[in-house]
Amino acid sequence: MKEKVQLFGRSLSGMVMPNIGAFIAWGLITALFIETGWMPNERIAQLVSPMSSVLLPLLIAYTGGNVVAGQRGGVIGAIATMGVIVGSDVPMFIGAMVVGPLSAWVIKKFDKLMENHVKAGFEMLVNNFSLGIIGAVLAVLAMYGVTPLVSTLNEWMGIGVGFFVKHGILPLTSLFIEPAKVLFLNNAINHGILSPMGIQQVEEMGKSIFFLLEANPGPGLGVLLAYCIAGKGNAKSSAPGAVIIHFFGGIHEIYFPYILMNPLLLLATIAGGAAGVFTFNLMGVGLTAPASPGSILALVMMAERHCYVGLFLGVLAAAAVSFVIAVPLLKFMGKDTSLEEAQQKKDAMKKQAKGIKDDSSAAGEPAKGQGKIRKIAFACDAGMGSSAMGATVLKKKIAAAGLEGIEVIHTPVSSIPADVQIVVTHQELGERAERSNPNAERVLITNFLAAPEYDILVEDLKKRNQG
């Protein structure tokens, strides 16, 4: 069940994450040039509405369609999404997430049906006209069929959010957001659910608190600081580096393993998240666009100019509450407070699990396979944060060992290239990595920053590539 939820969440965030640069551009223009911005400019501010209502939904639709059916899928996804854009008065991000991939699936099925049935010399004619005709039909269908459904869904979501805001219980969203983040659903929540609502709110108010519900680095910061004080072993020694990467680099995935080692720490992040949301709401804090990655630097760049004091107070409150609760939990109730112990526990559980292969790579050690290794992939949910950091760490270790000709990449766990020979990923994502590339050896870790498996892997590479 968890894997299915992760896959669904990945499909949502996978349409937004590649376009984060466009969201940031829109956010910067909004923060700088709208009437309440740093440098109000009525002419430049005219970019804000078309970018949010047309450009961003089209980019989302193209990306979603491209994932399903390549460039043709992206093009027809964008064509069909114009139907929901024109048919609605609000930014149609959810509509783009639905229509883009669905339209690509339709053209993919059509292409499959026409395979080997087109006479030589007519391929381009059939391809172009099929794309145009089907795209036009889907755009009209989307305008009259999908738009009312998505508009109704948006209204329901608005009513639900309004209930939380009206009754002052928005901090309770941390009860769902913080546990979901640790299950690697952070990108799905932030970019698949909260961002569309936030962008709609920006259209109305110029800023939105929804961009801060998941992106606040305070709860994770508090837990990592608690490990610096009350942690044990490798967890304690690696926590200071994780603090810097989490708070300034914005890679929240870095603290997830520390929570998984002691799930009781979820109480700390939930309370910290609620404290942060309460402070943001009390101080009227909002961002003008999604903060990605969730770095304090990104939050400052996307903050509305009158919100800085409230922003820092909210982050500080979240970190302080999380820290105060996490320290006693680690001191008096923490049984699995070292990365090594947590990994052994995970390994034992995997060996007992039915249907999971009990090989050395699944147990966290590189498999001693045959042949030279030329390509290694680090995989995380989005393929951009923790995996990029882990790939950098391993590249340095490989270079220091004098090994050459080994390519190290980072990639989403759901789309690991077929030519990858070894996949390094978090234990929670091991099954998805195996499904994505079943032929690759797997190295499952608990900490992308300071995994002991890196040194083991480098020694194995020496034997295999220099032997």
Side-chain angles (χ1 to χ4, degrees):
M1 179 64 182
K2 183 178 73 174
E3 184 180 356
K4 291 181 179 179
V5 174
Q6 287 179 332
L7 287 171
F8 176 72
R10 167 63 190 155
S11 67
L12 292 180
S13 63
M15 287 183 260
V16 178
M17 288 291 286
N19 300 306
I20 283 297
F23 280 84
I24 291 174
W26 171 74
L28 289 174
I29 292 172
T30 302
L32 291 172
F33 302 115
I34 62 173
E35 187 176 349
T36 57
W38 285 99
M39 297 180 292
N41 186 303
E42 185 177 352
R43 180 166 176 77
I44 298 178
Q46 292 176 356
L47 288 168
V48 173
S49 182
M51 288 180 75
S52 63
S53 60
V54 180
L55 174 65
L56 297 179
L58 287 181
L59 287 174
I60 289 172
Y62 181 89
T63 304
N66 187 58
V67 170
V68 174
Q71 186 176 7
R72 276 171 66 80
V75 172
I76 197 170
I79 294 171
T81 299
M82 279 304 301
V84 294
I85 290 173
V86 174
S88 176
D89 296 328
V90 298
M92 269 289 162
F93 296 98
I94 295 177
M97 290 178 180
V98 173
V99 174
L102 183 60
S103 302
W105 178 83
V106 171
I107 198 67
K108 186 176 182 179
K109 289 296 181 181
F110 175 84
D111 290 345
K112 188 70 175 176
L113 288 174
M114 296 301 295
E115 193 173 334
N116 300 323
H117 289 84
V118 179
K119 292 185 177 181
F122 288 85
E123 294 88 356
M124 183 176 292
L125 184 68
V126 172
N127 286 342
N128 288 340
F129 273 86
S130 63
L131 186 64
I133 294 171
I134 296 174
V137 171
L138 291 177
V140 175
L141 290 176
M143 178 183 290
Y144 290 101
V146 178
T147 300
L149 296 176
V150 176
S151 297
T152 301
L153 179 60
N154 278 334
E155 290 177 7
W156 289 348
M157 291 172 64
I159 293 171
V161 171
F163 177 82
F164 277 86
V165 174
K166 182 179 179 181
H167 291 81
I169 56 176
L170 196 60
L172 293 182
T173 57
S174 296
L175 286 169
F176 310 101
I177 291 175
E178 296 302 329
K181 285 172 67 175
V182 177
L183 295 176
F184 293 89
L185 295 173
N186 52 317
N187 291 317
I189 293 170
N190 196 21
H191 302 303
I193 299 173
L194 298 177
S195 289
M197 293 192 298
I199 290 171
Q200 189 168 332
Q201 192 175 47
V202 169
E203 287 280 314
E204 301 169 358
M205 302 173 56
K207 62 183 178 181
S208 176
I209 192 175
F210 296 124
F211 296 134
L212 287 164
L213 299 186
E214 187 277 336
N216 183 5
L221 176 63
V223 168
L224 292 175
L225 290 175
Y227 267 102
C228 293
I229 302 298
K232 298 178 183 177
N234 192 33
K236 182 174 183 177
S237 63
S238 63
V243 166
I244 296 173
I245 291 170
H246 167 69
F247 192 62
F248 294 104
I251 301 176
H252 289 200
E253 291 91 343
I254 194 73
Y255 81 84
F256 297 170
Y258 294 84
I259 302 288
L260 293 172
M261 283 186 285
N262 189 344
L264 280 174
L265 291 175
L266 277 174
L267 297 175
T269 57
I270 290 171
V277 174
F278 176 81
T279 306
F280 293 143
N281 201 31
L282 183 67
M283 302 291 289
V285 179
L287 302 185
T288 60
S292 183
S295 159
I296 187 63
L297 303 177
L299 264 63
V300 169
M301 289 182 64
M302 294 294 108
E304 204 266 344
R305 66 172 177 170
H306 304 297
C307 293
Y308 285 132
V309 173
L311 176 67
F312 287 116
L313 285 177
V315 173
L316 181 62
V321 171
S322 180
F323 175 80
V324 168
I325 296 175
V327 168
L329 288 176
L330 285 175
K331 281 188 174 180
F332 306 115
M333 303 181 69
K335 295 181 179 179
D336 297 306
T337 51
S338 78
L339 292 176
E340 295 86 351
E341 293 171 2
Q343 183 179 331
Q344 291 171 6
K345 181 181 178 181
K346 286 269 188 179
D347 294 346
M349 291 172 63
K350 271 197 171 290
K351 290 180 181 179
Q352 294 171 3
K354 213 170 182 181
I356 303 297
K357 291 192 290 186
D358 182 19
D359 58 16
S360 57
S361 68
E365 294 184 8
K368 304 300 187 290
Q370 300 296 323
K372 292 185 177 182
I373 299 300
R374 298 299 181 194
K375 192 167 187 178
I376 301 172
F378 273 72
C380 68
D381 185 55
M384 298 172 67
S386 52
S387 60
M389 177 184 62
T392 299
V393 173
L394 185 61
K395 284 178 183 178
K396 291 181 178 179
K397 289 183 177 291
I398 289 176
L403 294 169
E404 298 179 353
I406 300 177
E407 182 183 5
V408 182
I409 65 171
H410 52 91
T411 177
V413 70
S414 58
S415 55
I416 301 170
D419 60 342
V420 167
Q421 296 164 282
I422 295 178
V423 176
V424 185
T425 191
H426 191 275
Q427 289 186 354
E428 287 289 320
L429 304 175
E431 293 181 31
R432 290 173 63 187
E434 183 178 23
R435 181 170 300 191
S436 179
N437 187 339
N439 297 321
E441 302 170 18
R442 289 177 296 140
V443 179
L444 306 186
I445 61 178
T446 58
N447 188 334
F448 279 97
L449 178 63
E453 290 84 5
Y454 293 166
D455 293 326
I456 299 174
L457 177 57
V458 170
E459 290 300 317
D460 183 44
L461 292 173
K462 285 182 181 179
K463 297 175 184 178
R464 296 167 70 165
N465 282 25
Q466 296 179 349

